[in-house]
Amino acid sequence: MKAVFYTADPLAWADDLGGAPWPLLPVANRPLLDYWLETCAELGIGHVQVILGEGADEVEKFSGGGARWGVEIQYSFARASEQPLDYLKATSDRWEDGLLFIGGAFFLRRRQAYTPSGFQTLEACRHGADGKTWFLYGKNGDEVKALLDGHSGSERGLEQIHIHPFFIDGIPAYFDINMKMVMGEFSRYVTAGFSTVDGSSVGYNVLTPPSAHLKPPLIIGNDCRFGPMTTIGGKAVVADHVIVDSHTELSNCLILQDTYIGRNLEVSNKIISGNRLISAVDGTVVEIDDSWIVAQNRPDMRTEDLVRYIILWFLAFCVMLVQVIPFCILYPLVRLTRIGIFKKEIFHDPRTGYISLLIFHKLENRKSIVYRLFLAGTLDRLPLLLLALRGRLFVCGQPPMRHPIDDDIVSQLPHYYPAVFSYANYNKDSDRLVDSLWYAHIRSLFEDVKILIKSLLYRFFRAGSM
Amino acid sequence: MIVTCSKNQGIGVIQVSQALTAASVDTFREQLASWQSVEVDVTNFVIDLKQVDFMDSAGLGTLIAVLKQITERGGDMKIACLQKKPRMVFEITRAYKVFEIYDTVDEALKMYK
């Protein structure tokens, strides 16, 4: 038997919960995908195909080759023109040995009587909502073909083996399943040797002062810090790397990872994800940029980011050193001949919202050796380079986006790295949105160095035609 | 203008027209204080937050400071038309225990009778 997990369709409600792709949203501190893969392991499914969409990198990074679950995972991207069932039909010869398909935020909620061996007796079935198939199971090619042709399969579906098909179709449902887990269902998903006698589960490296009060049922992840006089629980699910300040009470709530919760607060019936406060009842989201209340605990800078930062900073420093003297000579000449001038313009900034940058503008459209030399040395970028050395811009990345002209583009970028050098510097036909998305997808030290070298060389050799 | 002040049955009705955050609380305080200096006989207030769609700790702190100042003068302050998002901030900061909150300005005014 093979399994296919289709994660390509975005879920709007999941975006409100932070940056994690929805297959990695935690249910009782374990990503949804983890439960699916665990089910595959229990069923003896050896081959899993994960069809990726947004957040592909993170999904792939989490599940890797699948060795952790004893399965082999293959990844592919969805085609925009193809629905998941069309894909399954088109490749129906691959499902001769059976298929387990999950195509949305679907949780296999185990009832008390559930045992993994139940799957051996499970008849072909499918579950879906809003005209979309979320779950499909067939033990052989004929069963799978019948289901793909529209046959509904067993009426009782997964309930025959004591699994409640739980559709996570919004924030209230997501909160609900977490609360169900913390109320005792969590123990149905843990492996032998793990005890939750008093309904509490506390991860590694959790610091609690003696005055903190932990009230089961609760689930706490790893690397959490609680302040004095805090009360955690009952019915609290706290993910990894959460800090709760003193005199704060958490109950009937879900705190997602990397969250800081301020002093003397009372959190109930809410989801908190970083600086987002989300109502568990109607999904209302408030973003609070106020570290007195809630804030994002930034994960530590990764080693590769640090290496990239140091190397690029050094390269930028070298470029700046080379540029300083020519700039001091040529810029006064450029001003005297009135060919160009620096003007301040407002651009989007990922940290402060907006930033004012000095951009060089050509004033007169006439040929000038001074202007050509100025461009050949990329001296028009020196002010931006200085900002990059101060850490206000990236050295290589996406072109800075103007405000308000480029607001639409910025709103479509999941990651925005405004930089001195970008693909646009050496590619005249550059589409900024496409290039920016592509850069965010393949961002690496190699790519940054390539952009830097190509930009400098292109400008050096092509300055006359610019 | 962030604040529009009026007098209704001898009670000051303070309409706030934008988010109460660190960026706007100083203006809010100044405009309220300048109206209070003219209308010295007004001791009771209703703060109408119908147009306030966001509030941070600075906004909340300012409301608490205003409440303290009003009660020290022997008056009272009630809050009306608290919107969904600021209400969530009120809930987690326990501010709902400090303020009397009403759905409408009329309801808040009635409570003074």
Side-chain angles (χ1 to χ4, degrees):
Chain A
M1 181 176 283
K2 292 188 173 77
V4 175
F5 301 146
Y6 184 83
T7 67
D9 287 346
L11 301 177
W13 61 266
D15 291 344
D16 290 337
L17 294 168
W22 66 260
L24 299 186
L25 277 180
V27 174
N29 283 354
R30 285 174 59 195
L32 191 55
L33 181 60
D34 191 10
Y35 290 94
W36 298 348
L37 290 167
E38 191 180 71
T39 302
C40 289
E42 286 178 353
L43 289 176
I45 294 175
H47 297 277
V48 177
Q49 184 181 357
V50 180
I51 302 173
L52 301 162
E54 270 183 29
D57 297 351
E58 289 169 75
V59 173
E60 203 171 333
K61 192 177 164 196
F62 169 76
S63 42
R68 206 171 115 200
W69 298 270
V71 299
E72 187 187 318
I73 303 178
Q74 290 179 327
Y75 299 94
S76 57
F77 282 93
R79 289 183 198 157
S81 57
E82 199 170 53
Q83 291 299 307
L85 288 194
D86 296 337
Y87 166 75
L88 295 177
K89 277 182 197 170
T91 52
S92 58
D93 54 323
R94 290 180 58 201
W95 323 124
E96 285 303 319
D97 297 330
L99 170 69
L100 169 78
F101 168 78
I102 297 178
F106 184 79
F107 190 69
L108 299 148
R109 185 178 163 219
R110 298 173 182 183
R111 298 198 187 279
Q112 190 86 45
Y114 165 82
T115 56
S117 57
F119 267 99
Q120 289 168 6
T121 60
L122 179 64
E123 292 171 18
C125 61
R126 64 192 288 172
H127 293 277
D130 303 327
K132 191 180 152 193
T133 299
W134 291 53
F135 177 87
L136 187 146
Y137 176 85
K139 280 201 287 284
N140 54 52
D142 292 339
E143 286 185 1
V144 175
K145 191 172 180 305
L147 291 170
L148 292 174
D149 287 341
H151 193 268
S152 59
S154 162
E155 267 183 31
R156 287 186 63 209
L158 282 164
E159 291 285 7
Q160 359 168 17
I161 57 164
H162 310 292
I163 286 180
H164 172 212
F166 193 96
F167 301 95
I168 308 177
D169 53 4
I171 284 175
Y174 176 63
F175 184 75
D176 187 33
I177 189 66
N178 272 281
M179 290 302 108
K180 284 184 164 74
M181 295 290 269
V182 73
M183 285 297 284
E185 292 188 17
F186 178 63
S187 59
R188 296 173 199 166
Y189 301 82
V190 294
T191 48
F194 189 99
S195 170
T196 58
V197 176
D198 64 352
S200 62
S201 153
V202 181
Y204 295 110
N205 192 25
V206 174
L207 288 188
T208 47
S211 58
H213 187 197
L214 301 187
K215 284 167 67 178
L218 59 82
I219 297 171
I220 296 172
N222 303 323
D223 305 314
C224 294
R225 301 283 181 273
F226 302 125
M229 310 294 283
T230 46
T231 304
I232 315 294
K235 291 173 72 182
V237 179
V238 180
D240 296 345
H241 202 229
V242 169
I243 299 172
V244 182
D245 213 331
S246 59
H247 294 89
T248 287
E249 289 178 32
L250 308 182
S251 63
N252 196 44
C253 62
L254 170 61
I255 314 296
L256 298 184
Q257 65 178 13
D258 301 323
T259 297
Y260 165 79
I261 297 176
R263 190 169 293 193
N264 201 21
L265 303 182
E266 182 183 280
V267 181
S268 182
N269 232 13
K270 304 265 185 304
I271 301 171
I272 301 185
S273 172
N275 67 339
R276 293 174 183 208
L277 181 61
I278 303 145
S279 165
V281 179
D282 57 12
T284 305
V285 181
V286 191
E287 277 197 52
I288 306 175
D289 287 318
D290 187 338
S291 51
W292 293 100
I293 304 177
V294 293
Q296 174 96 35
N297 282 333
R298 295 280 171 210
D300 295 331
M301 190 185 256
R302 291 182 306 163
T303 312
E304 62 181 276
D305 287 337
L306 186 64
V307 170
R308 175 172 37 222
Y309 180 81
I310 292 169
I311 293 176
L312 285 172
W313 191 93
F314 181 74
L315 290 175
F317 184 70
C318 294
V319 172
M320 187 274 291
L321 282 183
V322 173
Q323 285 184 330
V324 166
I325 294 172
F327 184 87
C328 293
I329 298 167
L330 288 173
Y331 187 57
L333 293 174
V334 167
R335 287 299 307 272
L336 279 173
T337 51
R338 293 181 182 173
I339 289 175
I341 192 170
F342 282 104
K343 282 183 185 170
K344 275 191 176 178
E345 290 183 30
I346 303 294
F347 289 82
H348 285 273
D349 184 79
R351 277 174 296 183
T352 56
Y354 303 105
I355 186 170
S356 182
L357 300 179
L358 281 172
I359 303 296
F360 186 77
H361 289 273
K362 194 176 183 186
L363 295 175
E364 288 182 27
N365 195 17
R366 62 185 160 89
K367 288 192 173 178
S368 158
I369 186 75
V370 175
Y371 178 69
R372 285 177 64 179
L373 286 171
F374 193 74
L375 283 192
T378 318
L379 303 180
D380 57 322
R381 298 296 168 95
L382 185 61
L384 301 185
L385 209 54
L386 292 172
L387 279 178
L389 291 173
R390 284 174 55 199
R392 297 297 312 277
L393 277 181
F394 292 88
V395 178
C396 298
Q398 300 155 338
M401 301 293 174
R402 285 183 167 81
H403 171 70
I405 305 163
D406 297 327
D407 288 7
D408 274 354
I409 297 179
V410 173
S411 68
Q412 293 177 67
L413 294 177
H415 302 287
Y416 174 45
Y417 307 104
V420 184
F421 300 104
S422 64
Y423 296 130
N425 295 127
Y426 57 86
N427 181 6
K428 276 189 173 176
D429 302 323
S430 170
D431 179 306
R432 285 185 305 156
L433 175 60
V434 173
D435 283 354
S436 298
L437 289 169
W438 175 246
Y439 174 80
H441 182 64
I442 61 159
R443 188 169 183 249
S444 65
L445 176 62
F446 172 77
E447 198 63 22
D448 284 355
V449 173
K450 188 181 93 180
I451 289 172
L452 179 65
I453 293 172
K454 278 186 143 183
S455 299
L456 292 173
L457 290 179
Y458 183 89
R459 285 177 146 249
F460 186 77
F461 289 111
R462 302 289 298 272
S465 61
M466 292 174 80
Chain B
M1 258 327 237
I2 292 177
V3 173
T4 310
C5 305
S6 60
K7 220 158 65 169
N8 189 330
Q9 303 156 37
I11 297 160
V13 178
I14 314 298
Q15 268 188 325
V16 188
S17 62
Q18 67 176 68
L20 269 180
T21 63
S24 61
V25 288
D26 287 343
T27 319
F28 169 76
R29 275 186 181 173
E30 281 165 21
Q31 291 178 3
L32 180 60
S34 98
W35 189 78
Q36 279 178 311
S37 64
V38 177
E39 302 282 350
V40 285
D41 57 322
V42 176
T43 54
N44 293 328
F45 291 84
V46 173
I47 310 286
D48 180 358
L49 298 179
K50 193 174 183 178
Q51 293 176 62
V52 176
D53 59 355
F54 179 69
M55 191 180 293
D56 65 5
S57 62
L60 205 54
T62 301
L63 285 182
I64 291 169
V66 170
L67 173 69
K68 187 168 174 256
Q69 177 215 41
I70 289 170
T71 49
E72 277 173 359
R73 291 182 186 174
D76 196 8
M77 180 180 118
K78 300 182 196 305
I79 283 177
C81 309
L82 186 60
Q83 299 301 298
K84 214 182 252 182
K85 291 180 179 180
R87 186 179 288 271
M88 286 166 65
V89 177
F90 268 59
E91 283 169 6
I92 68 161
T93 54
R94 298 177 166 139
Y96 67 94
K97 292 179 179 172
V98 178
F99 296 101
E100 287 179 53
I101 301 167
Y102 297 92
D103 289 343
T104 62
V105 173
D106 287 342
E107 268 183 52
L109 288 171
K110 267 184 206 164
M111 297 311 291
Y112 279 115
K113 285 180 182 169

